[in-house]
Amino acid sequence: MSRHILVTGSSGFVGGHVVAAARASGGVRLRLLVRARPSATAAPTSDGPPFPDGVPVEYVRGDLTDPDALRGVCDGVDAVVHCAAQVGGDPRLLLRVNDLGTAALVEEARRAGVERFVHLSTAAVHGRGPFSGVWPDQVPITPVSDTSRTRAAAERHVLAAGGTVLRPHLVYGAGDRWVVPGVRTLLSALGGRPEGRLGRQSMIDAATLGNVLLSAALAPAVRAGRAHFVNHPDPVPGEDLLTAVAETYGLLPEPAPGIALDTARTRLRDHALARHHLELLATDHWFTDDTVWADLGCDPGAGFAERFPRHADRYRNPRQVPEPATGSTHITPEAAASVPTASCGS
């Protein structure tokens, strides 16, 4: 018997990879929560054919900012994979979407008797670090932005209802508009390489993360009511991330000048995005948690050094991304992107 799964944020970066994972897995029926019904030509509708590979898909209208609009969206589904989030912008909208919207969706899932609720969060709920090989229960929740505070509130609603929270740190791959583009901005703005030891970064490929989220919704072995870090077990030295991005875009031909961190901070005083990525890379953000991989019986596969080159052409030549035809409930700035299918550990 196929499992029926509701996905929110399906036209976003990670949510799109959850859909791709479902399309590759078989035995899954999808319900996608959207704010507007898609056009007949944009994608299959609930009254039309399934995806080309045979995965049945249904669209339901709803909006996280309107709890009444969520009534009935969870009826008849076995699990919810909640990827929708608002990142940045009006603090009132952040509250309505991330905090109150998640609370309303959790309550609707409870009313409908949904068996499993899996929520995509972020390791940013722990603040700025440094974090070196820490487990979820070893560090407090200390968010420093309105986005992270409201996402931490969303976690509390999910965990109180017995759901599962997954916290990645840096997510890269098809559709990434934040991690690698931000590092590129940093290198371009500096015109050189930050000098000295940089921090270790927990990272995960978006296709693998999509598979983990889907698997957590399908696999009863994953312990509910808990938060987990979900990243590749091997952290990535900041120097390696800088080198990979520089080589991808042909930046910093040798010999590139080394720039002391204090000097780099001064140069980037008025460049918020580049400065953010500099501070990120200058500090350890290494989160460890092997319980998800063990519970799912899943191999995380190749690490960053082997996997990242597979995405180099896509980063250099990003596809034009149209406006989301499915009217996503709420998505992060890494908006809708075409994503490949992949199996866990690919």
Side-chain angles (χ1 to χ4, degrees):
M1 181 178 177
S2 63
R3 302 284 285 174
H4 199 181
I5 296 178
L6 172 72
V7 179
T8 73
S10 61
S11 63
F13 176 29
V14 176
H17 283 278
V18 175
V19 173
R23 294 174 66 175
S25 70
V28 175
R29 291 183 295 149
L30 288 174
R31 178 180 294 174
L32 308 183
L33 182 64
V34 298
R35 283 188 290 177
R37 189 180 181 84
S39 67
T41 58
T45 69
S46 59
D47 301 321
F51 283 121
D53 42 16
V55 175
V57 62
E58 171 191 9
Y59 294 94
V60 292
R61 295 179 61 179
D63 192 320
L64 291 173
T65 65
D66 181 3
D68 290 340
L70 298 177
R71 185 73 177 182
V73 300
C74 294
D75 288 353
V77 302
D78 301 300
V80 172
V81 179
H82 181 34
C83 298
Q86 180 73 24
V87 177
D90 185 346
R92 293 168 297 181
L93 183 59
L94 289 167
L95 174 69
R96 292 175 65 197
V97 174
N98 298 342
D99 183 348
L100 303 180
T102 298
L105 185 63
V106 166
E107 175 58 25
E108 180 58 25
R110 184 203 61 77
R111 185 201 63 78
V114 174
E115 298 173 12
R116 302 191 64 77
F117 195 109
V118 180
H119 175 54
L120 173 65
S121 186
T122 170
V125 298
H126 294 292
R128 295 198 173 106
F131 305 107
S132 300
V134 297
W135 288 72
D137 296 335
Q138 291 180 324
V139 284
I141 302 296
T142 54
V144 296
S145 69
D146 289 331
T147 296
S148 296
R149 278 188 284 271
T150 54
R151 297 189 78 177
E155 285 193 4
R156 292 194 292 271
H157 300 309
V158 173
L159 294 173
T164 298
V165 170
L166 298 182
R167 298 176 186 146
H169 176 44
L170 298 182
V171 185
Y172 68 98
D176 168 29
R177 296 183 176 182
W178 173 251
V179 176
V180 171
V183 175
R184 179 188 183 184
T185 297
L186 165 63
L187 291 171
S188 298
L190 273 181
R193 180 187 296 271
E195 195 171 54
R197 180 194 175 277
L198 300 178
R200 293 163 291 183
Q201 306 298 321
S202 285
M203 301 187 71
I204 187 169
D205 176 89
T208 301
L209 179 57
N211 275 280
V212 171
L213 285 158
L214 178 68
S215 297
L218 297 175
V222 175
R223 286 164 279 185
R226 293 187 58 183
H228 303 272
F229 294 132
V230 55
N231 300 284
H232 193 277
D234 299 326
V236 180
E239 298 87 347
D240 292 359
L241 177 54
L242 283 178
T243 297
V245 174
E247 291 179 348
T248 294
Y249 292 108
L251 301 173
L252 308 184
E254 296 294 343
I259 302 172
L261 287 176
D262 285 344
T263 301
R265 290 184 175 101
T266 300
R267 289 189 185 180
L268 299 175
R269 185 186 298 113
D270 299 322
H271 200 311
L273 178 62
R275 175 67 181 263
H276 174 87
H277 279 74
L278 176 66
E279 299 299 345
L280 178 75
L281 293 179
T283 306
D284 274 342
H285 292 88
W286 172 20
F287 306 92
T288 187
D289 186 349
D290 60 6
T291 56
V292 170
W293 306 109
D295 289 348
L296 295 177
C298 186
D299 182 352
F304 177 83
E306 180 178 338
R307 196 185 296 263
F308 180 77
R310 306 176 194 176
H311 301 293
D313 284 343
R314 188 180 289 267
Y315 277 118
R316 284 191 293 265
N317 303 291
R319 297 177 182 177
Q320 183 66 32
V321 180
E323 289 299 314
T326 52
S328 169
T329 325
H330 281 282
I331 59 177
T332 64
E334 306 90 340
S338 174
V339 294
T341 58
S343 60
C344 204
S346 63

